[in-house]
Amino acid sequence: MTPAATVPLSEAPLGRRVRIHRLSASPEVSRRLRELGLCEHAIVSCLLKGHGNIICAVQNTRIGIDRGLARTIVVSAAE
Amino acid sequence: MRESSSTPAATIALVGNPNSGKTTVFNALTGLRHRIGNYPGVTVERREGRLLLDDQRAWAILDLPGTYSLLANSPDERITTEILLGQTPHTPRPAMTICVVDARALERSLYLVSQLIDQQLPLLLALNMMDNARREGIRINARSLSHELGIPVIPMVASRGEGIRELRQALRNGPPPTLPPLEWRLPEPVRREWEELSAMLREHHQLAPPVASHEAMVLLSRPRPESGDDRRFAPVILQHLAKDHQKLDFLGYDRQVMMLEARQEWSRALAARVSSRSAAGGTPSLSDRLDRVLTHRVWGFVIFLGVMGLLFQAIFSWAEIPMDLIGRLFDQVGHLIVGVMGPGDLRDLLVDGALAGVAAVVMFLPQIVFLFLFLGLLEETGYMARAAFIMDRPMRRIGLNGKSFIPLLSSFACAIPGIMATRTMENSRDRIATMLVAPFMSCSARLPVYALLIGTTIPAISVFGILSLPALTLFGMYLLGIGAAVLVSWIFSKTALRRTTPVFLMEMPPYRLPSIRSVLAQTGERAWVFLRRAGTVILGASIILWFLATYPKSDAGTPSEKLQQSFAGRAGRAIEPVIAPLGFDWKIRIGLISSLLQREMFVSTMGTIYNVQTNDDGGTVSLRERMQNDTRAGTGERLFTPLRGICLMIYYVLAMQCLSTVAVMRRETNGWKWPLIQILLMTALAYGVTFVVYQGALRLGLGGP
């Protein structure tokens, strides 16, 4: 497996399916992210950006997160 | 709402992720036979209902706060965990548990399900919103899910009542007595330490096996071996724990995620086995398309302002018609009593004390109903989460965040549900900041005060042809409260509550048509709580006030002199030196004192005082007119000048004047520190601003009638 190029979720192109590589927020916040389904290896896609925040889709649900937090979620292209 | 006299029934607990339709299932099961109260010691709302199964067994059903996990940390979610683990005093561990799962989010929900099964809770799974899942091409084999989990799984569409009968049937059959252990796998060294620690907890603290393993898991996953609640555990446990942490860290396990990852691995595999998804059609769902508009950079904001405008329009203008009717109804009742009963103290007590006091408050029922109706609709449709999303950035500028928005919006109804709504916030700094400023939002209890004072003192002049001066004044009072909140929270965010990196993380539920039934049910509950208060606290206080304003009776003198001689008159005079610079006379001061209990008491106090004063042939002259005609003996100067009216309103915008809020603050923050800070701050602000405005206006010669 070749190491894929990684970017923060905040930079991921809209609508593109990406895979979560690593969470680098504080342990407490990371746990919350994981419980909402934003865990390592999960497939997400950014649906829209606006008002300084992002709505992303994961497992059929929509999660709103702020861009600062999205910067701590490292993703790479899925497949 | 009926209380049963039989012995307390065994409890069924409803759990599930937020937005899984848990409350819809609850309403469908209980009909309207439920009540809201509080858990002892905390103000988390406890929603309890009764369920009568066909075999005449009665059950109590508890609707627990929504949660994603039993390890979650907001106060709301902790309650759920504690109830399920049987750690709450006076609430026995539930005999049965229904976990409501949004069928579209099966994989995520299985995480919570696995925790519940590990707790050996007798469990049923209600697989809700099957219609939405089907529409999105998701197929779930409920039978094989049930087989794999070893518990009954009932597919349902609770909003249409589908599957409720089957759920009742399953409840009657009861869940399987013991659950097979789940096949989620921890790495061997971790499992060993976990079992060892669980055994120690069972031995040293006499914990039930499932509770012990839950505690052991929490202990192993926390960042450091030591923590604030160490006194709960024996030293030998903590020593052992320190060694466990060292060992697992050395072996390279990420302790904080290992349990979670193992469970999620299991959830993912299981979800894949029992569900399938037809190739997603390229068209985005309706929710996604709506989101593109409703959270749009420009349109999102425009629509948001429109929604808020509509909300205030409903409260302040549509509600007037029913309010008028209620007012007239009470007048009729008053006339009726006056007609039937002979004059005397008892009649005065009934008409001038009890009836006048209660009427002044019940008048505002329509506004309360409209407000909760709107809030309920916004919540049910899923728009509330979007409003939080949109408001996140502006709220950050002043040291709050998007999640503060819902509590603050609710505070326009009442600061108490507002403060309670902050329980969904995980960050305690954000939570305290939000609670601190919540009482600045003009609540529905202030509305009667504003309405009375504006009606009495502000002339109905139109401004620019379309706006009226009274409406503008009212709007100004709301803005003043918001402004104060902004200022205070900004100052705190720079000082005592310096912010860490604020986080906004919130599920955006799919848009859906609101269930009118459950919105109405909730609104009904709120209205009932309000009415009950009017019938108990306010009724009692009105009678006491009437007594204080009537006795000791002096035979001679004008009604006004009699009032001054009464207990209430004397109390009003006692605080004169402090309050006089604000321009408030002794009658207003009585109002201020009585409304320390709750703000709307000001209106009923005025009702009582002015009825006492013009004790003649029934109340045909409205309170408003009586107050307008009140002049100072001697000078003939009107008491309620526009300036005094405005000053009084400013005082009410900024002052705490609400004992219930203080009590809730104390309970929610676990101490007196924050409520005391809040009281001091609000009192100082109220006094200071009112003083400056009144004295400033007098100096500028604006004190005229």
Side-chain angles (χ1 to χ4, degrees):
Chain A
M1 200 170 98
T2 51
T6 58
V7 289
L9 181 62
S10 51
E11 314 287 316
L14 281 182
R16 174 82 75 79
R17 283 155 56 84
V18 292
R19 187 184 294 276
I20 296 182
H21 225 68
R22 189 161 46 84
L23 303 179
S24 60
S26 70
E28 182 58 24
V29 175
S30 297
R31 189 174 54 74
R32 286 248 20 123
L33 284 169
R34 291 191 179 98
E35 285 173 357
L36 281 164
L38 293 166
C39 52
E40 284 86 350
H41 316 302
I43 305 277
V44 291
S45 57
C46 260
L47 294 179
L48 64 89
K49 303 180 180 180
H51 303 277
N53 294 338
I54 287 176
I55 293 182
C56 59
V58 58
Q59 301 174 18
N60 293 318
T61 56
R62 309 282 178 265
I63 314 283
I65 54 180
D66 66 86
R67 207 168 283 179
L69 184 53
R71 256 181 238 123
T72 70
I73 301 174
V74 183
V75 300
S76 60
E79 279 97 38
Chain B
M1 230 66 76
R2 192 166 45 94
E3 294 290 317
S4 161
S5 54
S6 62
T7 46
T11 310
I12 300 173
L14 266 174
V15 279
N17 289 174
N19 309 309
S20 58
K22 198 164 48 66
T23 303
T24 317
V25 174
F26 177 79
N27 287 338
L29 279 177
T30 60
L32 292 176
R33 293 181 302 277
H34 58 265
R35 60 200 163 104
I36 38 181
N38 287 328
Y39 291 104
V42 277
T43 34
V44 172
E45 215 166 62
R46 174 193 173 115
R47 192 184 283 272
E48 192 180 316
R50 289 196 155 270
L51 172 69
L52 204 62
L53 290 178
D54 308 346
D55 54 2
Q56 300 304 308
R57 260 187 307 169
W59 294 84
I61 299 197
L62 264 185
D63 187 10
L64 297 176
T67 186
Y68 296 104
S69 143
L70 291 187
L71 299 170
N73 239 341
S74 78
D76 224 12
E77 296 163 317
R78 268 205 304 266
I79 279 287
T80 299
T81 307
E82 281 167 15
I83 295 260
L84 291 176
L85 265 57
Q87 294 171 331
T88 312
H90 316 301
T91 307
R93 209 164 187 235
M96 272 197 263
T97 309
I98 303 170
C99 183
V100 183
V101 166
D102 177 353
R104 292 164 319 142
L106 178 65
E107 182 184 325
R108 184 186 71 196
S109 316
L110 281 175
Y111 176 71
L112 177 64
V113 172
S114 78
Q115 291 180 326
L116 294 169
I117 292 181
D118 279 351
Q119 282 306 307
Q120 286 289 311
L121 283 160
L123 192 64
L124 300 170
L125 203 147
L127 201 53
N128 194 17
M129 307 196 201
M130 286 299 280
D131 53 341
N132 291 341
R134 224 168 289 135
R135 210 170 303 137
E136 290 181 26
I138 300 166
R139 301 214 163 273
I140 299 177
N141 186 336
R143 194 170 303 163
S144 72
L145 179 60
S146 164
H147 182 72
E148 296 236 16
L149 292 173
I151 58 173
V153 173
I154 299 106
M156 59 196 305
V157 185
S159 56
R160 293 205 303 251
E162 282 171 34
I164 293 295
R165 205 161 47 92
E166 289 79 358
L167 180 59
R168 291 174 67 106
Q169 179 65 42
L171 283 172
R172 205 169 51 202
N173 297 341
T178 48
L179 303 176
L182 288 178
E183 290 293 307
W184 64 281
R185 290 233 169 73
L186 278 169
E188 195 47 34
V190 180
R191 197 184 54 77
R192 243 189 348 252
E193 301 305 334
W194 182 30
E195 280 173 3
E196 215 175 286
L197 193 59
S198 308
M200 287 183 73
L201 283 167
R202 285 200 297 271
E203 184 187 335
H204 287 273
H205 294 281
Q206 282 79 45
L207 294 179
V211 179
S213 52
H214 175 84
E215 292 282 3
M217 190 175 309
V218 173
L219 286 171
L220 283 177
S221 334
R222 71 188 189 189
R224 279 175 304 279
E226 70 280 356
S227 151
D229 61 351
D230 283 349
R231 268 162 301 156
R232 283 172 55 212
F233 300 106
V236 56
I237 301 256
L238 294 170
Q239 280 159 19
H240 188 88
L241 181 66
K243 251 181 273 161
D244 282 348
H245 274 211
Q246 254 176 16
K247 184 166 161 192
L248 294 176
D249 288 346
F250 175 73
L251 290 175
Y253 291 107
D254 187 345
R255 283 181 297 96
Q256 295 178 50
V257 301
M258 59 193 180
M259 307 277 183
L260 200 140
E261 271 189 335
R263 281 186 200 281
Q264 274 174 343
E265 202 55 54
W266 170 86
S267 308
R268 196 172 305 148
L270 176 56
R273 282 201 298 278
V274 301
S275 67
S276 65
R277 183 170 193 179
S278 56
T283 53
S285 73
L286 180 64
S287 277
D288 290 340
R289 271 178 293 167
L290 276 171
D291 263 342
R292 269 181 221 161
V293 182
L294 294 175
T295 62
H296 186 269
R297 224 159 297 173
V298 181
W299 297 121
F301 226 81
V302 172
I303 293 169
F304 171 76
L305 289 178
V307 170
M308 292 300 117
L310 199 65
L311 171 70
F312 284 97
Q313 175 76 15
I315 295 173
F316 298 124
S317 115
W318 300 346
E320 251 174 45
I321 302 157
M323 286 171 74
D324 229 40
L325 281 177
I326 293 177
R328 260 185 255 162
L329 189 75
F330 271 98
D331 269 359
Q332 291 299 319
V333 175
H335 280 304
L336 208 69
I337 297 177
V338 170
V340 172
M341 291 176 71
D345 272 5
L346 184 61
R347 188 182 86 174
D348 291 351
L349 169 72
L350 277 179
V351 178
D352 300 334
L355 198 64
V358 170
V361 173
V362 172
M363 282 272 291
F364 298 93
L365 182 65
Q367 289 183 324
I368 308 263
V369 167
F370 270 114
L371 188 84
F372 282 113
L373 212 56
F374 246 84
L375 289 181
L377 281 175
L378 292 185
E379 183 75 55
E380 279 267 320
T381 50
Y383 185 74
M384 208 61 131
R386 273 68 182 190
F389 182 85
I390 290 175
M391 287 304 287
D392 182 54
R393 188 125 88 164
M395 304 280 278
R396 268 160 198 266
R397 297 239 168 91
I398 58 165
L400 299 170
N401 74 48
K403 275 204 170 175
S404 318
F405 175 75
I406 296 168
L408 292 183
L409 185 63
S410 314
S411 296
F412 282 113
C414 173
I416 293 163
I419 287 173
M420 297 202 315
T422 63
R423 286 180 321 236
T424 57
M425 303 170 73
E426 311 86 42
N427 182 310
S428 70
R429 190 219 76 97
D430 291 352
R431 194 166 167 244
I432 286 180
T434 309
M435 289 195 279
L436 264 185
V437 300
F440 282 117
M441 301 296 126
S442 284
C443 61
S444 51
R446 283 172 177 110
L447 201 55
V449 181
Y450 298 161
L452 177 67
L453 289 171
I454 288 176
T456 308
T457 63
I458 307 294
I461 303 169
S462 69
V463 183
F464 307 125
I466 41 163
L467 300 165
S468 74
L469 193 56
L472 276 182
T473 313
L474 186 65
F475 191 55
M477 291 305 140
Y478 276 80
L479 283 185
L480 177 67
I482 296 170
V486 167
L487 185 76
V488 167
S489 110
W490 182 78
I491 290 172
F492 270 91
S493 75
K494 297 286 173 212
T495 53
L497 293 171
R498 196 84 47 84
R499 46 169 37 180
T500 50
T501 326
V503 164
F504 180 76
L505 174 59
M506 200 176 183
E507 185 176 354
M508 302 280 127
Y511 292 100
R512 56 175 171 236
L513 285 176
S515 147
I516 300 299
R517 190 188 141 117
S518 83
V519 172
L520 285 181
Q522 267 180 44
T523 308
E525 278 167 16
R526 301 291 179 175
W528 176 244
V529 168
F530 178 81
L531 278 180
R532 206 169 45 193
R533 210 170 58 159
T536 52
V537 182
I538 293 181
L539 177 65
S542 299
I543 292 173
I544 293 170
L545 251 161
W546 173 85
F547 173 80
L548 292 177
T550 312
Y551 295 95
K553 274 191 167 172
S554 50
D555 294 326
T558 64
S560 169
E561 282 164 359
K562 280 187 193 166
L563 183 53
Q564 290 200 45
Q565 286 307 313
S566 70
F567 293 122
R570 292 177 201 181
R573 221 162 353 185
I575 57 165
E576 178 164 11
V578 190
I579 305 291
L582 306 182
F584 302 158
D585 90 321
W586 59 275
K587 279 176 228 152
I588 299 178
R589 288 197 295 268
I590 298 174
L592 285 183
I593 294 175
S594 68
S595 65
L596 277 176
L597 194 63
Q598 39 205 356
R599 299 179 178 94
E600 64 267 45
M601 281 297 300
F602 178 81
V603 177
S604 49
T605 306
M606 290 297 124
T608 310
I609 289 180
Y610 278 90
N611 252 330
V612 169
Q613 223 181 347
T614 53
N615 190 3
D616 41 26
D617 52 348
T620 42
V621 190
S622 77
L623 176 57
R624 228 174 251 190
E625 286 164 48
R626 284 188 186 165
M627 286 168 65
Q628 274 167 348
N629 296 333
D630 188 13
T631 51
R632 275 214 171 140
T635 61
E637 181 211 359
R638 272 176 59 199
L639 173 60
F640 285 97
T641 59
L643 176 60
R644 285 216 183 86
I646 286 177
C647 283
L648 199 47
M649 281 189 273
I650 291 177
Y651 186 85
Y652 272 98
V653 169
L654 301 173
M656 180 53 135
Q657 298 285 86
C658 178
L659 280 183
S660 326
T661 306
V662 177
V664 168
M665 274 298 281
R666 201 205 73 80
R667 279 193 284 184
E668 292 288 309
T669 59
N670 270 323
W672 281 107
K673 178 181 159 196
W674 288 108
L676 283 178
I677 289 177
Q678 192 173 33
I679 293 172
L680 285 178
L681 180 87
M682 293 185 76
T683 310
L685 206 59
Y687 191 89
V689 174
T690 312
F691 181 85
V692 167
V693 170
Y694 184 69
Q695 295 295 338
L698 281 188
R699 300 275 184 287
L700 294 171
L702 297 173

